Amino acid sequence: MTLDTSPEILQKNNYLLDQPRTFDHGRAVFEDDGPGALSKIGMRHDNDYTDIRCCRILPTTDEILCLRRPWMPPKNFDQQHFLPPGPLRLIDTQFRQLRYDNTEKIIDACYHAMQQLARMFSHANQQDHQFRYETPRGVRYSLLRAVAFEELLFHESRGLLLRVSFDCPRILRGRRMHTSNLFEDGMLVALVGLNQISGDATTTFFEVFLRESTDAMKSRTGNDTRASIQLSFADKNDIESIRLISYYVHGLLQAKFVLVDIPNVLLPGFGYHLKQLQNLADSPGFAFAPHIAPQSIDAREPNPPPAYAAAEDFEYNLEDLWSSPNRPGPGGFVMLPSKIGDCISEKGRALEALKENTTLDAGQAVALVESLSHGLAFTQGPPGTGKTFLGVSLTQVILASQPKSDPRPVLAVCTTNHALDSFLGDLVKKGISKIARLGAASKEEWTKQYLLRTLTKAMKTTHIESTNIRKSWTQVENLAREGSGWCEALSNDIPGWSAIGDYLRTNHPIIYNHFATLETFDGSVANIRRARKATGFAYEYWSMGGDLQDIDQLLEVFNTVLGVNETASDREASDGYIKEQICADIKRNAMRATPPTEGNQIWSLSMDARRLLLSQWAAELDRFKICDAIVEVHRRHQLAMNRKSDAHSALDYRCLGQQQVIGLTTTACARYWPLLHKLNLRVVICEEAGEILEAHTLCNLWPSIQHAIFIGDPLQLRPHVSEVALSSENDTGRQYRLDESLFERLMFPSVAGASPADTAQLSVQRRMCPDIADISRATLYPYLLDHASTHMHPPVAGMKDRLYWLDHQHPEDRPDPASPMAKSYSNMFEVEMVFGLVNYLIKDSAYALGDIAILTPYNGQLSALAKRLRAACSVWLSEKDRESLIEQGLLSLEDGVAGTKTEINMANMLRLATIDNFQGEEAKVVILSTVRSNSDRRVGFLKTPNRINVACSRARDGFYVLGNAALMSNVEMWRTIVNVFRSKGKIGPSFQVCCTRHPTRMLDINEPEQFSSVPECLELCLEDLKCGHKCRHKCHPASLHELMPCAEPYVTLVFVHLVNSHVEGPVGMVLVLKLATGSPQIGLPCGHNFNVRDLDILYDLIGLYRITAAGVVLSGEVMRPPPETPRCLRCDSSIDGVKRYAVINQVRALPDTIDRMYAKFGRKLDTFVSQTFLTEDLLSTTFESFCKKLRPGPLAGKHNQNLVYERGNSMADVQLRITNFRDEVVVPFESSIDQLKAFLANPMILNATSSPFKLRFDFLYHRCRLVTLEDAALLSRHIVKLGHTTQHSNALAQGLELLVKEQALDNIHALNSKITHCESLGLKRLEAELRLSQMCFHMLLKATSIDSGVNTSTSMKRFLLLCQKYPDTAGELYPSYRALLKYMDGGTAPKRLYDLYAGDTRGLWRDLGRHKIGALKYCKNNHPFSSTTFADCPECGREVDVLPPREPINYNNFLYEDAFLAAMMTKKM
């Protein structure tokens, strides 16, 4: 295929205007005079080309500024287009429509952002500014201002990254940034700039790589009002845009910038498809082009069997579908497509065989035969007709029929990851295990083993593959290292060698040669290659003040630089010998230094002279040249990444070729198109094809495809489009119809004279009860049949009718134009009626919340329902609905985040959804709120037949509509549906509620509050029980009937003594079962049956639960400990499978569970304590040697910073492991135990345990922080003492000092609540340890003259009292108390504050890990402890009386010896 690529010339005439960009997108929004040079007045902008291959995927700045309407080709082949009908025209049409749909809101938001930016020039900056905006067209976006370029970074796989900072709105500061939907990973953002002088605007697009909160910026700058973000260039091959950004980063160009974040815009979501459409225009095209894009309207191409099945003797093997008892022999169940295509009788016999010997129904059998008989096959499946089952059956047959000499994978394509996982899961159940899943977005754990990366890791690579992969990785790593060097060239205190080396080579060659001489190495190529990784070490050594005579320090710098640049594979390969050789060369080079020359004089310069010289060199650097070098490395890196991808694709190709099925979404199809193209795939099966955009479908049709099977329903929801001007639902959009799938276009052609594609139809539905299915039959599917199982659906408990329309005239709520609901609608009467109906249905436990779904067409109503229902029950919103509500401001960020968990118990949550996001789902009971009720006869969204179809086909047992029937009848399809309700007498102004078992007692409900006053039915049940007796209990829901015990007299279990004549007295007992005829039975999993009441008595169920005389459990309160584990009386097997008795084992297992968790927590504590102490000792013993690594030079700030961060990470890793285990294991467990205590309310079963574990992990966390902060304080003081400090090193020292002050205060405040918690639980030992920690933080702050706020006198008195009163536990810390008191009184400070902890106190932590299962005891204060390692509770232990302090002795009141003798003599006389 070829297109005219003649150059097109653009006269620039697009400028930013103050007027809003508001041309009407609901009517004539497109021009009709052709694209690019075909336009009568010339190109619209610099991205307006006739050839789509020349168009950029993302909009250009000139395109954003252009206010001319774009040209858009209509869809029909009989309408105007500059290309003739055929594949090229179809590709051109799909590309332009798809691109417009995905970029129009980006353009609109960026244009509006430019206008806001222009206005900022005349307004003062405000830090807490508005950041949520909405364009006149209604596009919502976030705008962050005061953007500053922080640095360029180089990532190993992404290439060049940009880090920018911005003023962070107050509500997003701190951790709230990470819980918001702003700048989510991978999302598209725009950096919009405006030059105030020239007026030029720039727009560069990025993908979010990493967002950093204000906390991260505070650690760098001390400013907590700014946040930062790392961005990856969206178009990594747009070298000129990257170069321009590089100039801005380094101050070579000036402009003012803002960041624009448009919610939920992912470039891969449309970029891959657009790129592939461009490739299709330049390739052999796509499969079945004559059928899909005919060159004439009346062309009718034949549709024979697929080419691989064209041979007359080819047979489809149907044996895997056989379900009859007697399986046929080999070749006994086959189908010959060559015969079926021409012979009706052969097709009839095949269909009859399929219906008799498989589980396929009549419609599925026809669809299977038709799909196998045609190369391009379509099957329409109405709701609930088993479309996925048909797809799985077709996959089985095709796999079983492939030639053994040339098997190829079947490609399974779905629109969503959820649908794909469901399809692949069904294949796995059928025994198909050789599956590869492309894309890693699945939320199902079981799919991980089928991911392509998992499969390739398990494969053995060939020598060629290993070599190519290793070489490509080396190239990427080397270029990433080089790129990092260039990025740091102008960002550090001293210019990097990458820039200076190039400058010196040109301007000072003698100096350059002298530095380079030190880096000249002898030996093997490996030695030289290894040493080059430390290129520039001599310059770096000189710039930090190094002396050429100090060989040891020179070698240390070399090793440091080499260590930073060396890869892990290099280090593993080295045995130290190569380094020794290189170091010997360095020594030799230094000793060979010649007498003073220009080059050698630089080594004798003072530090001030060197600094001056460096400044001079830096000033003379060509910054433009450096920027160009950075961009050039990025360009080479992208080429290397392509080579690396090619190297891996060889292994991927070999892996995929060995699979039976390859499963992927439509997006992954476009992404992996080149790789899959190499496989020469023959078969593609597309699920839910009616929901796939035609542009996406074209990307699924590789030229090698011989068999394309599309299964779906064009009469259900169409593909989603963003722009209403391209939608079939819009008057203007009907000529474009981007939301029309290929399936719909070929099945229902809109071009006069075109023939519809042959389509098989599934005809048997298994979802809806027949009454509800009548709606589908009356509207769209007159041929729809009901499976026998649908007639067995139970009636809706508590409702007279399972199908009903509540007709009302309550008007819809008029939205406030200034509110977030301005573009949506709600109806509070329907909200309240739905609320009442839901509460009524779940009141008697007949339905779980997950059995009910509430549907509505409007987000405004969805928001109102969510707010109302959330007060009474748990509500589940789909991810798409939640994102939509947040984007429109109808749901807060906090609510949106709280509901995003993927692992939830859906059975306990009420499902609430818009109709558009409920396709493919179903529920026992569906309630539809239509919302609209007005005098203007406006129906809104619900006028579309596809949406109506989905809304009315989701219910299994009950379907209730709330709406204005007269208004809805203005739409033809709704008029038909209303007539169905009327013909059945199921429409009216009120619901009729009743007892399902006694329907003669009716109550009309036409107001919401009436639901709460529905009386309870007092009739007796009188339905038959399993035993044959009538149920004489009060009326209850049918779902609970099987649980009702019989009220007739029971024959109890009789224990009979066995007597042995040789032994006096009874020798044992046997259980004799005397079962009366018709007595109520319960079946156990083993197959034996027993009286329900007898088992209840035997296992003391009544003693465990509060149970009524009818056997109904009233509450979950367990009254006393359960007896022995319940087992079958006949075979002694477990009866855990019986829910009624499972609680016994669950309650019995609680003590053992707690015992085992105590052992696990103890072992973890012991491990973490050992790691903490080990790291403490390591930091202490290595401090002096570490300080020697800190460079005293004024230009060593970056080097020192890296070393300090690396040192801090050692304890941070331990701390992270501690907090992760605490938060993910300990806290949830203790929370569950607390809930169980409240639930069971019985200390005989579960002690009111005062668990110390969470607090002990807290203590370890604070100890880690103390060690880290004290080390940081010492490092800060040492850096200050180094001298010759620069701004960089000053900032590092001040940052460390600020970190110590702020975090020490935070820890002190956090410890206050934990100490109080210890006091409330009586944890004396732990309280003393926490108080000691708090006092250590206090002393750390005291050294910086900061008031900690700790009442030291009170705290120390309490500390002493604990040590004295509990000598066996807290008393072990008395030496620590004495040492701390001495230090506080001005005594010698300990080497480290944590040295205040007495050495022998570590034994407790070690003993906690030695607990043995079964030895768990509780002290009088309910503290758990191990009796094998502790004689008494290690937390409280023995308590002794503490005497009050005695009055000090006044020795002046006593007599000396002489006076005493004189007094005695006087007394005698």
Side-chain angles (χ1 to χ4, degrees), residues 167 355 443 630 671 829 970 986 1127 1277 1368 1424 1452:
D167 281 347
K355 286 187 285 186
K443 295 179 181 179
I630 293 173
R671 179 178 182 180
F829 171 76
N970 288 305
K986 307 299 183 184
R1127 308 187 73 83
R1277 291 195 286 270
D1368 299 335
N1452 292 329

Side-chain angles (χ1 to χ4, degrees), residues 19 56 217 305 328 362 470 473 592 650 716 737 820 865 910 1036 1131 1167 1219 1232 1253 1267 1301 1345:
Q19 68 188 51
R56 294 189 178 186
M217 283 295 291
R470 185 170 59 253
W473 267 110
R592 288 175 181 173
Q716 296 189 55
R737 303 191 308 281
L865 286 165
L910 181 69
H1036 45 259
C1131 64
T1167 300
T1219 54
S1232 299
F1253 285 107
V1267 173
K1301 292 177 180 178
S1345 302

Side-chain angles (χ1 to χ4, degrees), residues 987-1059:
I987 187 171
S990 57
F991 287 121
Q992 286 190 305
V993 300
C994 65
C995 172
T996 308
R997 294 175 177 273
H998 307 96
T1000 56
R1001 303 179 59 133
M1002 301 286 181
L1003 183 65
D1004 290 341
I1005 303 291
N1006 50 34
E1007 294 294 336
E1009 57 272 11
Q1010 292 177 316
F1011 279 110
S1012 59
S1013 59
V1014 176
E1016 184 180 8
C1017 180
L1018 301 178
E1019 298 286 338
L1020 295 181
C1021 173
L1022 299 181
E1023 293 285 338
D1024 289 340
L1025 295 168
K1026 285 185 177 181
C1027 62
H1029 295 127
K1030 297 291 184 182
C1031 176
R1032 298 191 176 277
H1033 296 288
K1034 186 176 65 174
C1035 185
H1036 45 259
S1039 59
L1040 302 179
H1041 186 64
E1042 292 184 358
L1043 300 178
M1044 296 295 109
C1046 181
E1048 299 295 328
Y1050 283 86
V1051 177
T1052 60
L1053 300 172
V1054 178
F1055 288 89
V1056 179
H1057 287 279
L1058 294 178
V1059 179

Side-chain angles (χ1 to χ4, degrees), residues 257-287:
F257 288 89
V258 292
L259 271 173
V260 179
D261 177 66
I262 309 168
N264 305 319
V265 177
L266 275 168
L267 179 58
F270 62 93
Y272 288 125
H273 290 105
L274 290 173
K275 189 64 181 175
Q276 189 51 44
L277 287 172
Q278 289 178 321
N279 293 336
L280 286 177
D282 204 16
S283 70
F286 48 84

Side-chain angles (χ1 to χ4, degrees), residues 1250-1252 1255-1256 1259 1314-1333 1355 1357-1374 1401 1404-1405 1419-1424 1432-1440 1442:
S1250 299
S1251 177
L1255 288 167
R1256 284 219 162 269
F1259 168 80
K1314 290 160 187 174
I1315 289 172
T1316 303
H1317 195 188
C1318 282
E1319 290 177 341
S1320 67
L1321 297 179
L1323 300 169
K1324 311 302 181 183
R1325 164 66 180 259
L1326 191 50
E1327 180 191 346
E1329 289 179 292
L1330 291 173
R1331 286 187 180 278
L1332 177 58
S1333 292
S1355 187
K1357 286 181 180 178
R1358 174 65 179 175
F1359 191 178
L1360 175 61
L1361 179 63
L1362 290 169
C1363 293
Q1364 293 175 337
K1365 197 167 186 178
Y1366 303 94
D1368 299 335
T1369 54
E1372 291 186 358
L1373 295 169
Y1374 184 70
T1401 62
L1404 166 71
W1405 298 85
C1419 72
K1420 60 182 180 181
N1421 294 320
N1422 287 325
H1423 303 146
D1432 201 352
C1433 175
E1435 292 295 344
C1436 49
R1438 178 172 56 94
E1439 182 178 353
V1440 300
V1442 179

Side-chain angles (χ1 to χ4, degrees), residues 719-743:
H720 172 74
V721 296
S722 300
E723 295 300 320
V724 67
L726 299 178
S727 172
S728 305
E729 299 180 20
N730 178 267
D731 291 339
T732 301
R734 289 194 183 97
Q735 62 178 316
Y736 305 106
R737 303 191 308 281
L738 177 62
D739 58 347
E740 180 184 63
S741 65
L742 173 67
F743 196 163

Side-chain angles (χ1 to χ4, degrees), residues 20 127 141 171 251 373 441 461 689 795 897 949 968 1002 1052 1067 1131 1199 1267:
Q127 288 188 339
Y141 70 96
I171 66 169
S373 302
T461 57
V897 171
N949 182 21
M968 304 308 290
M1002 301 286 181
T1052 60
V1067 297
C1131 64
H1199 167 81
V1267 173

